[in-house]
Every structure is written in C-alpha cells, then in structure tokens.
Amino acid sequence: MTTAEATRTGEAKLAHDDDAVDLPVVTGTEGESAVDIGHLRAETGLITLDPGYGNTGSCTSAITFLDGEQGILRYRGYPIEQLAERSTFLEVAYLLIYGELPTRAELDGFIDEVTRHTLIREEMRHFFDSFPTDAHPMAVLAAGTVSLSTFYPDAQQIFDPVAVEITIKRLIAKLPTLAAWSFKKAIGQPYVYPNNDLGYSANLLHMMFSVPSEEYEVNEDVAKALDLLLILHADHEQNCSASTVRMVGSSHANLYASISAGISALWGPLHGGANEAVINTLERIVADGGNVQKYVDRAKDPDDSFRLAGFGHRVYKNFDPRARIIKAAADRVLRATGADDQLFEVAQRLEEVALHDEYFVERKLYPNVDFYSGLIYRAIGFPKNMFTNCFAIGRLPGWIAQWKEMIESRETKIARPRQVYVGAAEREYVSIEQR
Ligand code: SDX
C-alpha cells in the first residue's frame, strides 16, 4: 500500500533580513495545508523552533484523520461513530494496518492467525517472577514486549514482508497475555492460558479474571464493552506514543522495540496514564465529601500543580468524539455489572461544573478519551494500575500501522530534530586545582 502524497498547492514567502524565499505549501485530502520546510536550512540557514511540535507535522499519513475543532475522528476514512457501532476490534485492527475493511475470508484468516499466536514462550513465566508484586503493569508490559524480540529474531528483518507480518500477528496476539499474566503475578494467582475458543476481548477477560478452581463465564455485554473501548483507543494520528514508535522505528529498530518505546510514552499521566489519574481524582473528591467545585478551583489555580486529569487535549478544542461514546457506554456497563456508580455520578457533576466554568470554556478544555474510560475498566473489574495496559492493547494496531507506514514510506529518514543552542559559548578547560 503506497502512502498518498500531499499535493503542492502554492507557496509561502519567508522574508528574513533582506532575503526572501518561497516555500512550497502542500495540502492533504481534508484540506489541511502545511509549509514544506524540507529545504529551509539549506536555502536560508534558518531552522524552525516548535517545542512540543504543536505547529509541526512530522509526516504525511493516510491512517487517521482528526479535526480538533469539529471533533471529528476517522480511521482510514471511516467515522469512529460508525466503527464503534458496527465493527469489532480485530476488524478495526485489520483496517488500520492494511488500509481497507477486510472481506469475510480476510478477517477470518486474520483472526485465525492472531488466535494461533496468543501463547507466550513458556520460559517467559520466569520473566514475571523477576518483578516485585507491586510492579506497575506498564513497566512489565514495556519490558515484556521488547523481550519478545529475543525469542523471535526474525523481527530484525524489518524489510521482509513475511517477517513483518508474523511479528504483527504475534504482537496483537501476545500483548493481552503479557498484560493478564503481569496482573496474575501481582495478585499471586496462577497464570491463565489463553482459550482459543474465545474472541479477542473475551479471552483477555478470561485470562484476567478466571481461576483454575472454578468455571468462568464471560459476560458478553462486558466483552462487547471492552471491545468497544479497544476500538476507540486504536489510533489517534501523531500523538505522543505514536510519534515515539515512529521515531524509534526510524532508526530501523525492530517492531517489538518500537512498540515497547510507545508503551513507555503512553504510561505518562499527561497521555495514556490519565485514565488511572482520573479515577484517583474522582476517589479523592468522594473521600473529600464530593465537593467538585473545590477541585475545579484547584485545577484553575496557577499556583497549584493539580490538573483535572481527563480534561483538555492538544488537538481537540471541542468534545473528544470518543469521550461521548464512552460516556454512553459507561452508563450501560455500570447497569450491566451493577457496579458502584458513585464515581460516575461525581464524574458527571465534575464535567457539568467544568464545562460551565470560564477557565475551561476559554481554554476549550473538554473531557477527553480518558475521562470516562477508567469508569468502565473499573466496572469490568480491572484494577486502576491495569487501565493504561488496556489503553496500550487498544492502541497497538495504531502503533503498528504508523510504524508500517513509516517503514514503507519513501519520505522516511531517521528522525533527528535540530535545536537552538542557548548554553555557554566556547571556553577553556580549567584544571580542578584552579576551580
Ligand atoms: C491522551 O495527543 C493525543 O491524541 C492523545 C490521546 C490519544 O488518543 O493518543 O488523545 C490520549 O493523551 C488524552 C489526554 C490525556 N491527558 C490528560 O487528561 C491530562 C490532563 N490534560 C492536560 O495535561 C493537557 O490538557 C494535555 C497534556 C492533554 C494537553 O496539554 P497542552 O495541549 O500542552 O495544553 P497546555 O498544557 O498548554 O494547556 C493550555 C492551558 C494551560 O493554561 P494557561 O497556561 O493557558 O493558563 O490549559 C490549561 C493549562 O494550564 N489546562 C488545564 C488542563 N489541561 C490544560 N488546566 C486544568 N486541568 C487540565 N486538565
């Protein structure tokens, strides 16, 4: 699959001192335009400076389109609302990675291959034993993922389509097993092997919550809710962790190593770790008598480092379309599981207060994907420290698609940003006796 190129649609003039240079302007499928600065330094000696890359495109991509002002999110052109309503996680994974919705035969083949790779090498049982019981599951998942490369050296052949394909299937198949086994190790229960008769999300529930001493019946509503969450987390264009996967992959590191780096980036509370932080905040508000205004005021206080996890987004300056879908699903899951909905009630009040507060309105801070997702994971029975593992399992196909597009793209070079140096000018070394 070739990556569509952006079309040259004009020029931007950059005047500097008494120089001026015309820079190409390129435009994508949805009318987004960018100044192509690929030759800026060669032609002017200038570089651009954009900490956090809020104004900088790192690549062209045909995978996901999002419009932060309109609250639009599409995977390969399909609106997230339709995929959430009508698709399944493995079908969405296929769509993101290969670019088209699969035929029935293609999907069955993909599911069959993933299903056949859900076991991890038996030696890895000892891998989990080397961690303390309170190890954060994201540390175990990142380490476990890169460790897979030691069992499957063919992953180093990153330009061999056959090696890449089996690596993709192994990753999608084994991440839930790694996640579930890190949880079982933490709670001192026996590891539960995957059951190939179960669907992908049902298998994760089975490995997480069943025990050898009794029958475990997967709740279909819960499995469906988990599958929906995985769909909603599957990709999000050039977010922090996807950009990390691209950057690590651009050095020609193998896919296991690139995904492991993405997992580490996702762990941060400003990114995927926010879903765990949201529940911590809601629990604090409940313990503190339910006073949401107090926490909204703290989030607004420039002298208080407290931020409202689950609110705000670098790109969405409107509702995160995923948050709307998850909020509706949270209501359904809480009813299906009979879970305590006190936190849900506090979350809804918090949202209501914040969305009518000038500080949030002015800064266009809306609930993001993490604001309600933790309530569903919690209702399903995941412990808080497993929430970001669930995010990583959902995001995996997106990371794979981004890595594959990057590796296959003619425009890819090793990612190596420049800087503006503001340190000491040249100076002589001083021996320690003279210091
Ligand atoms: C994800 O990029 C993606 O696509 C990510 C993601 C994906 O699917 O991959 O969507 C997943 O990571 C969602 C975001 C999860 N993180 C959180 O919920 C953490 C809380 N949110 C913030 O930390 C913040 O909103 C970010 C990190 C998400 C975005 O930060 P930006 O774009 O750098 O914005 P900023 O920090 O410059 O904030 C702008 C203003 C600041 O106030 P002023 O300095 O202008 O006075 O808004 C304020 C911030 O202080 N602000 C908040 C706030 N978020 C921003 N104030 C209180 N609470 C918050 N949550």
Side-chain angles (χ1 to χ4, degrees), residues 1 63 76 90-100 110 164-165 168-169 172 396-402 404-405 408:
M1 235 204 70
I63 299 169
R76 299 285 189 182
L90 285 184
E91 181 177 77
V92 164
Y94 186 101
L95 169 66
L96 285 167
I97 294 168
Y98 303 109
E100 299 296 335
F110 183 69
V164 169
E165 277 310 308
I168 289 173
K169 300 332 189 308
I172 295 175
L396 178 62
W399 287 332
I400 290 171
Q402 299 285 347
K404 190 167 180 288
E405 183 178 71
E408 291 172 353

Side-chain angles (χ1 to χ4, degrees), residues 6 105 189:
Q189 283 187 2

Side-chain angles (χ1 to χ4, degrees), residues 247-258:
M247 180 166 266
V248 170
S250 75
S251 74
H252 290 179
N254 67 66
L255 185 52
Y256 294 113
S258 304

Side-chain angles (χ1 to χ4, degrees), residues 12 82 103 140 188 254 263 267 281 335 342 365 423 430:
Q82 292 181 27
T103 61
V140 182
N254 67 66
I263 293 170
W267 189 0
T281 299
R335 273 189 276 111
Q342 189 182 16
L365 304 176
V430 176

Side-chain angles (χ1 to χ4, degrees), residues 150-223:
T150 64
F151 295 101
Y152 307 109
D154 53 351
Q156 299 298 4
Q157 310 310 317
I158 62 172
F159 296 106
D160 171 355
V162 173
V164 169
E165 277 310 308
I166 185 63
T167 303
I168 289 173
K169 300 332 189 308
R170 281 175 173 146
L171 270 164
I172 295 175
K174 298 178 193 303
L175 226 67
T177 309
L178 287 174
W181 284 27
S182 72
F183 172 62
K184 286 303 196 185
K185 151 72 188 184
I187 60 174
Q189 283 187 2
Y191 300 126
V192 174
Y193 288 97
N195 172 351
N196 289 351
D197 295 334
L198 294 173
Y200 191 81
S201 298
N203 216 351
L204 175 56
L205 294 171
H206 158 71
M207 291 188 284
M208 280 287 297
F209 302 119
S210 74
V211 287
S213 44
E214 59 189 49
E215 281 306 305
Y216 175 78
E217 186 71 27
V218 173
N219 176 321
E220 284 311 316
D221 289 336
V222 170

Side-chain angles (χ1 to χ4, degrees), residues 115-343:
T115 303
R116 300 240 167 293
H117 289 280
T118 49
L119 282 174
I120 55 178
R121 290 287 296 262
E122 199 59 14
E123 302 92 302
M124 285 195 81
R125 295 176 74 92
H126 309 300
F127 163 81
F128 297 94
D129 295 340
S130 63
F131 286 89
T133 47
D134 61 352
H136 196 290
M138 284 299 272
V140 182
L141 191 65
T145 300
V146 71
S147 304
L148 289 172
S149 65
T150 64
F151 295 101
Y152 307 109
D154 53 351
Q156 299 298 4
Q157 310 310 317
I158 62 172
F159 296 106
D160 171 355
V162 173
V164 169
E165 277 310 308
I166 185 63
T167 303
I168 289 173
K169 300 332 189 308
R170 281 175 173 146
L171 270 164
I172 295 175
K174 298 178 193 303
L175 226 67
T177 309
L178 287 174
W181 284 27
S182 72
F183 172 62
K184 286 303 196 185
K185 151 72 188 184
I187 60 174
Q189 283 187 2
Y191 300 126
V192 174
Y193 288 97
N195 172 351
N196 289 351
D197 295 334
L198 294 173
Y200 191 81
S201 298
N203 216 351
L204 175 56
L205 294 171
H206 158 71
M207 291 188 284
M208 280 287 297
F209 302 119
S210 74
V211 287
S213 44
E214 59 189 49
E215 281 306 305
Y216 175 78
E217 186 71 27
V218 173
N219 176 321
E220 284 311 316
D221 289 336
V222 170
K224 197 162 167 36
L226 179 55
D227 212 66
L228 170 63
L229 280 177
L230 296 179
I231 289 172
L232 293 171
H233 286 81
D235 192 55
H236 214 237
E237 55 130 282
Q238 304 312 316
N239 59 83
C240 179
S241 52
S243 300
T244 302
V245 169
R246 279 182 173 258
M247 180 166 266
V248 170
S250 75
S251 74
H252 290 179
N254 67 66
L255 185 52
Y256 294 113
S258 304
I259 297 299
S260 174
I263 293 170
S264 297
L266 187 73
W267 189 0
L270 293 187
H271 191 12
N275 53 22
E276 182 178 348
V278 168
I279 298 297
N280 291 335
T281 299
L282 295 176
E283 287 174 339
R284 268 170 72 183
I285 293 173
V286 168
D288 197 3
N291 178 354
V292 294
Q293 189 60 54
K294 171 179 170 184
Y295 287 85
V296 167
D297 293 342
R298 282 195 58 191
K300 292 156 56 177
D301 180 353
D303 301 325
D304 188 333
S305 62
F306 175 78
R307 276 197 168 179
L308 215 44
F311 261 81
H313 199 278
R314 170 62 56 78
V315 178
Y316 286 125
K317 300 310 173 191
N318 191 327
F319 248 89
D320 181 333
R322 303 165 296 177
R324 284 187 201 282
I325 299 168
I326 291 176
K327 181 177 178 181
D331 202 10
R332 286 198 306 274
V333 172
L334 286 165
R335 273 189 276 111
T337 57
D340 152 28
D341 61 1
Q342 189 182 16
L343 295 190

